Amino acid sequence: TQAQAAQGGKQRLILLVDPDANAAERLAVALKGRGHLVEVHQRGDKALQRAGEASLVVTEWAVPGKDGLGLCLELQDKVPVLIYSQRAGPAEVERALSLGAMDVVSCASAPGLATVPTTGTPTGPTAGTCPRRSSPCSRSRRRGRRSGRCGKG
């Protein structure tokens, strides 16, 4: 698979953290379809216990146990953290980026997240379907960092 080839044949583990089992499943299917090994957690503190084995943590902003910002603080400079949310405004996006998030995507562009390369760095605009709402999502640049906004849904 693409993910295995970039890692020398080794699948990379992505921890997916979302309290909504349906949203997590849609995103996990998209990531698995790209050859990634995905482990789903509904609590941030549980995912944190496994973060040492992960190549990437993809988390919803608001999760029980330890939220996306808390995961950023704990994992800063150890494991890249990508946060998605329906509610992230410009101030929240800037705060998350300042705490170490590699990116913040509003409305969680599931197929777009599935294209995160094995280096853990997004490479360009993505578009897809939000796992929480059936609306298109897009990403844009703000102050040199990427953030996303949902289209009309």
Side-chain angles (χ1 to χ4, degrees):
T1 66
Q2 295 168 352
Q4 288 174 318
Q7 290 287 313
K10 181 181 173 188
Q11 267 187 316
R12 67 186 247 156
L13 174 63
I14 297 177
L15 297 181
L16 176 58
V17 190
D18 194 319
D20 181 332
N22 291 326
E25 180 60 26
R26 285 191 294 275
L27 188 51
V29 166
L31 291 166
K32 288 175 183 177
R34 297 289 182 150
H36 300 290
L37 179 62
V38 179
E39 189 174 291
V40 177
H41 295 273
Q42 293 183 317
R43 296 181 53 89
D45 53 350
K46 298 295 181 187
L48 188 58
Q49 294 172 2
R50 298 272 296 143
E53 299 173 42
S55 299
L56 177 67
V57 174
V58 178
T59 182
E60 216 283 328
W61 187 285
V63 293
K66 189 165 287 283
D67 65 8
L69 294 179
L71 288 170
C72 285
L73 283 170
E74 291 279 341
L75 299 173
Q76 201 169 41
D77 299 323
K78 297 175 189 160
V79 179
V81 177
L82 187 133
I83 300 175
Y84 62 93
S85 174
Q86 293 183 59
R87 302 175 292 276
E92 290 85 5
V93 169
E94 291 301 320
R95 182 169 180 223
L97 294 174
S98 74
L99 293 175
M102 68 178 267
D103 204 356
V104 177
V105 179
S106 292
C107 196
S109 177
L113 292 177
T115 62
V116 172
T118 55
T119 60
T121 305
T123 57
T126 60
T129 303
C130 177
R132 295 185 171 270
R133 295 188 290 174
S134 296
S135 63
C137 293
S138 62
R139 294 161 59 98
S140 62
R141 290 192 179 267
R142 203 180 301 164
R143 291 190 203 171
R145 297 296 301 260
R146 252 188 298 276
S147 61
R149 275 284 174 229
C150 283
K152 294 180 182 177

